[in-house]
Amino acid sequence: MASTVTTEPSENPATPSRPGYGQLLRTRGAWTFLLPGFAARQPFAMLTLSIVLLVRHTTGSYGVAGAAAAVTGVSMALFAPYSGRLADRYGQRAVLIPGVLVHALSGLSLTALALAHAPLWVLFAAAVPTGASVPQIGPMVRARWGVKLQGSPLMATAAAFESVTDELTFVVGPLLATALCTTVDPAAGLVTEAALTLLGGLLFAARRGTQPPVSESGHARVRQASALRVPGVRVLIVTFLGIGTVFGGLQVSLAAFSESIGEPALNGVLYGTFAAGNMLSGVVCGAIAWKAAPQRRLVIGYTALALTASALWTAHSALLLAGLGLLVGMCIAPALITGYTLVDDLVAAGARTEAFTWLTGAVALGQAAAVTVAGQLEDRLWDGAGFLVPLGGTLLALMTLLALRSRLVPPPRHRTVARVVGHRSPVAVD
């Protein structure tokens, strides 16, 4: 009776011992999904701020504007994991095409209703499909990297590269949304977001050759266990919720601060500085060959994030606020990159798109809660009270992470002995 020993997938022989961005970007076929993926995810960074600025213009209240944006974020957080599961099961193209069509129509409807001074419940109702149909481009791109780089140490570099790409969109997106809403028309940001989502989403969906394969066998119909059943994923969801409170709290509070000093256009610059810090630290993270375990890096990075976010409410000048925002941004990227890297170790390949969308949805949910609470604080208390939201959100998430960090340790990977003759299950050996 013959037997063979199978091991984990071997590393790409072309991959250097110290992987970097140059090697990553030379991966065959990568640019065919990177460029349309960048175009397709750009509008996502415009959505929340465009809603806040439009509804604030039509209602005069940051609280109402934050609530409308929050409905969009909650809707996205609830539907994103389901979208990820559908993409894992039926393919990304099958989910993207109808999704971007619905999103564009919903966004335009929300714009028209806001300009018509529709009742608040009507605005909230229109915000639900707008958020539910947000295309999950980032998780889909990460899943494509997973197919291209299976078993390669370049996966950590890819996670860093994707974080940098995300943050580049959060540099450009808020600046573009602010410029459109303050110099063209309050509705211009949301209209542009809908148009770019439609165009970019369709271009990305057209790149069928690089999407993760969908099995046509009968085994494809077997129900795939949800990524949510992995304990480590649930811990990461809480940590990403805390990161979402930073995004949401800053979006509302920076807009309120800029208006309070008579410089509304400064909002985009301040938020862009925060996002630039995130992007720059992401570049550095991807260039370092880390020796520390990712669980330890996440705890250290998140502690730094909570400490810097706790100081935001003390800033009373644009220069100091920009400096603190830069530091907060520099602390976010390491946490995001490490969290996404852990998914590759914790979750089976067939559920990774869903896992990535759970994390993306957690950020959106944290952002939604933050814009709601921060808007109310800005309306009812002092200018800058909304900065208390990132303080509370990151500290609560940090306590959860410290208490449950052992669940982020992936199960040991075993070699298996696969028998050529017979039907016995593979036997794990040390």
Side-chain angles (χ1 to χ4, degrees):
M1 182 181 298
S3 65
T4 60
V5 176
T6 62
T7 63
E8 293 299 310
S10 61
E11 297 179 1
N12 186 343
T15 301
S17 59
R18 184 187 176 95
Y21 292 113
Q23 181 70 22
L24 178 73
L25 297 178
R26 288 193 295 271
T27 302
R28 180 177 297 178
W31 286 104
T32 63
F33 65 85
L34 285 181
L35 290 178
F38 178 79
R41 76 176 73 185
Q42 181 61 55
F44 177 70
M46 301 173 59
L47 180 60
T48 300
L49 186 55
S50 295
I51 293 175
V52 168
L53 294 176
L54 173 60
V55 178
R56 168 66 176 78
H57 171 77
T58 58
T59 66
S61 169
Y62 277 109
V64 173
V71 172
T72 303
V74 171
S75 178
M76 179 194 135
L78 294 177
F79 282 89
Y82 183 63
S83 172
R85 294 201 75 183
L86 290 177
D88 281 330
R89 189 168 185 179
Y90 300 108
Q92 295 180 359
R93 177 183 172 88
V95 175
L96 266 178
I97 293 179
V100 296
L101 291 173
V102 171
H103 183 77
L105 291 174
S106 301
L108 294 176
S109 298
L110 178 59
T111 304
L113 290 169
L115 293 175
H117 299 280
L120 292 183
W121 70 268
V122 176
L123 289 181
F124 293 163
V128 171
T130 302
S133 57
V134 170
Q136 300 301 309
I137 302 297
M140 290 182 180
V141 172
R142 288 181 170 89
R144 294 189 185 210
W145 277 124
V147 173
K148 286 286 184 182
L149 303 176
Q150 185 175 11
S152 167
L154 281 170
M155 276 304 302
T157 307
F161 180 82
E162 287 307 306
S163 180
V164 172
T165 303
D166 282 338
E167 295 321 310
L168 180 58
T169 67
F170 277 96
V171 172
V172 177
L175 289 172
L176 180 58
T178 301
L180 290 170
C181 292
T182 58
T183 64
V184 179
D185 187 89
L190 201 51
V191 170
T192 303
E193 188 275 339
L196 291 177
T197 297
L198 180 62
L199 178 61
L202 292 178
L203 287 174
F204 184 76
R207 310 310 303 177
R208 303 174 65 176
T210 55
Q211 72 174 353
V214 179
S215 176
E216 300 295 338
S217 68
H219 296 291
R221 300 302 179 187
V222 177
R223 183 178 295 273
Q224 172 70 47
S226 173
L228 193 59
R229 298 182 63 182
V230 180
V233 171
R234 297 196 292 270
V235 177
L236 290 175
I237 287 173
V238 175
T239 61
F240 276 52
L241 277 169
I243 292 174
T245 65
V246 178
F247 286 119
L250 286 181
Q251 285 181 336
V252 172
S253 301
L254 290 178
F257 174 83
S258 300
E259 185 168 327
S260 70
I261 63 174
E263 297 287 345
L266 187 62
N267 173 43
V269 177
L270 290 174
Y271 196 86
T273 301
F274 156 73
N278 196 344
M279 181 179 67
L280 291 175
S281 65
V283 172
V284 174
C285 284
I288 295 176
W290 296 100
K291 295 183 179 180
Q295 299 81 9
R296 183 182 180 189
R297 300 203 311 266
L298 182 60
V299 170
I300 294 173
Y302 213 90
T303 301
L305 173 60
L307 291 175
T308 54
S310 298
L312 286 169
W313 71 276
T314 65
H316 299 292
S317 70
L319 184 61
L320 180 58
L321 192 55
L324 285 173
L326 181 68
L327 291 176
V328 172
M330 292 176 66
C331 294
I332 282 184
L336 286 173
I337 291 169
T338 307
Y340 282 122
T341 301
L342 281 167
V343 168
D344 292 310
D345 294 330
L346 295 170
V347 182
R352 283 179 189 158
T353 305
E354 181 199 351
F356 289 137
T357 53
W358 272 113
L359 301 188
T360 304
V363 174
L365 185 59
Q367 180 175 324
V371 295
T372 303
V373 176
Q376 294 294 331
L377 293 177
E378 292 290 348
D379 280 347
R380 299 173 184 271
L381 301 179
W382 66 90
D383 291 334
F387 290 121
L388 295 174
V389 175
L391 182 156
T394 54
L395 287 178
L396 289 174
L398 176 61
M399 288 188 290
T400 302
L401 175 62
L402 291 174
L404 302 176
R405 62 186 182 275
S406 62
R407 299 186 181 183
L408 296 175
V409 178
R413 296 183 176 182
H414 299 286
R415 293 176 298 169
T416 60
V417 176
R419 301 192 180 276
V420 176
V421 180
H423 301 281
R424 295 181 181 177
S425 300
V427 179
V429 298
D430 295 327

